[in-house]
């Protein structure tokens, strides 16, 4: 079946621009996660949704980062006034359920380059 | 696609040999551990997992060992193949949490 998909795969933004990154989780998956992966590093947790509820946004690095999942399926990560330090790969993952169902399936990521 | 792990520690093995990748985790309260494989331009791919009440789990060609005393996790790959070349990450899940905390990764290179 279809896995997690993300779009765009690559995004180049000028410093100060706003960007929106999309994630389509596996159909029926309740949990959705966003991670940020800097070059040469492991993914770092940004935020977590259970259905449409954002239960944890403790990993968002600043108030320029905003995520939503209004209908409990597709999610969008928005970054306002992008800065060079925002350059990274943004990974989305989904899981069948919340706590108790552990395996997270990852999408291919969106590589954001801020110039 | 983008390159993952340009500055990661590298393990180079001969095709057909066994590989052992090690990971030290940080949280003694973590109750679940996963190994992921990440190829360039792709997201992490699940390999094998283990819960904290176990010390060993085997899959197809892979074995994960957990030593809670020293907070150490290892991934053993039998008869390593060229397709195993990738960056490998361990991840832990702190107890009563849902987020994963990833280690810094190891690049595995398989020589033909």
């Amino acid at each position: 079946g279809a896995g997690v998909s993300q779009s765009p795969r690559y995004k180049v933004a000028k410093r100060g621009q706003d960007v929106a990154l999309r994630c389509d989780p596996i159909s029926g998956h309740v949990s959705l996660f966003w991670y940020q992966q800097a070059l040469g590093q492991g993914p770092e947790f940004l935020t977590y949704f259970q259905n449409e509820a954002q239960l944890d946004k403790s990993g968002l690095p600043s108030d320029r980062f905003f995520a939503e999942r209004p209908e409990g399926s597709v999610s969008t990560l928005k970054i306002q006034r992008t800065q060079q330090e925002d350059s990274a790969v943004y990974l989305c993952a989904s899981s069948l359920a919340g706590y108790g169902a552990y395996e997270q399936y990852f999408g291919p990521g969106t590589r954001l380059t801020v110039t | 696609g983008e390159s993952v792990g340009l500055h990661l520690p590298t393990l180079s093995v001969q095709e057909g040999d066994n590989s052992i990748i090690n990971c030290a985790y940080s949280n003694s309260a973590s109750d679940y551990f996963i190994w992921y494989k990440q190829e360039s331009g792709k997201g992490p791919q699940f390999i094998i997992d283990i819960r904290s009440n176990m010390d060993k789990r085997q899959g197809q060609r892979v074995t994960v060992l957990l030593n809670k005393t020293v907070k150490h996790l290892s991934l053993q790959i039998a008869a390593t193949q060229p397709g195993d070349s990738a960056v490998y990450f361990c991840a832990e899940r702190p107890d009563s949490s849902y987020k994963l905390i990833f280690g810094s990764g190891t690049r595995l290179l398989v020589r033909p």
Side-chain angles (χ1 to χ4, degrees), chain A residues 9-10 33 35 37 39-45 48 55-56 58-59 89 91 98-109 111, chain B residues 1-8 31-32 34 36 38 41-44 46 49 51 89 93 95-104:
Chain A
R9 290 296 316 278
Y10 303 92
F33 305 80
Y35 291 84
Q37 186 174 26
L39 193 62
Q41 302 292 323
E44 292 192 358
F45 171 82
Y48 164 63
L55 299 187
D56 188 339
S58 63
V89 175
L91 294 163
Y99 187 92
Y102 309 112
E103 185 172 343
Q104 295 183 20
Y105 297 85
F106 282 82
R111 180 160 186 84
Chain B
E2 64 276 11
S3 296
V4 175
L6 288 180
H7 306 291
L8 293 173
D31 65 348
Y32 179 66
I34 310 177
Y36 281 94
Q38 189 172 26
K42 298 183 179 179
F46 174 89
D49 58 1
R51 298 177 193 245
F89 293 98
R93 192 193 67 152
D95 192 23
S96 301
S97 177
Y98 35 72
K99 68 181 75 171
L100 294 176
I101 299 174
F102 283 79
S104 55

Side-chain angles (χ1 to χ4, degrees), chain B residues 69-85:
Chain B
T69 302
V70 294
K71 294 192 289 186
H72 184 267
L73 199 64
S74 69
L75 176 69
Q76 301 177 358
I77 305 174
T80 313
Q81 302 169 359
D84 295 328
S85 293

Side-chain angles (χ1 to χ4, degrees), chain B residues 2-17:
Chain B
E2 64 276 11
S3 296
V4 175
L6 288 180
H7 306 291
L8 293 173
T10 299
L11 174 65
S12 180
V13 300
Q14 192 72 37
E15 181 179 357
D17 287 351

Side-chain angles (χ1 to χ4, degrees), chain B residues 23-73:
Chain B
C23 174
Y25 64 92
S26 59
N27 192 330
S28 57
S30 291
D31 65 348
Y32 179 66
F33 305 86
I34 310 177
W35 280 99
Y36 281 94
K37 172 186 179 182
Q38 189 172 26
E39 297 172 285
S40 187
K42 298 183 179 179
Q45 177 188 355
F46 174 89
I47 300 174
I48 191 168
D49 58 1
I50 188 169
R51 298 177 193 245
S52 59
N53 60 354
M54 303 171 68
D55 53 20
K56 180 179 180 179
R57 188 163 188 228
Q58 289 185 293
Q60 187 176 12
R61 280 204 308 120
V62 294
T63 301
V64 55
L65 299 177
L66 174 64
N67 185 331
K68 294 183 289 293
T69 302
V70 294
K71 294 192 289 186
H72 184 267
L73 199 64

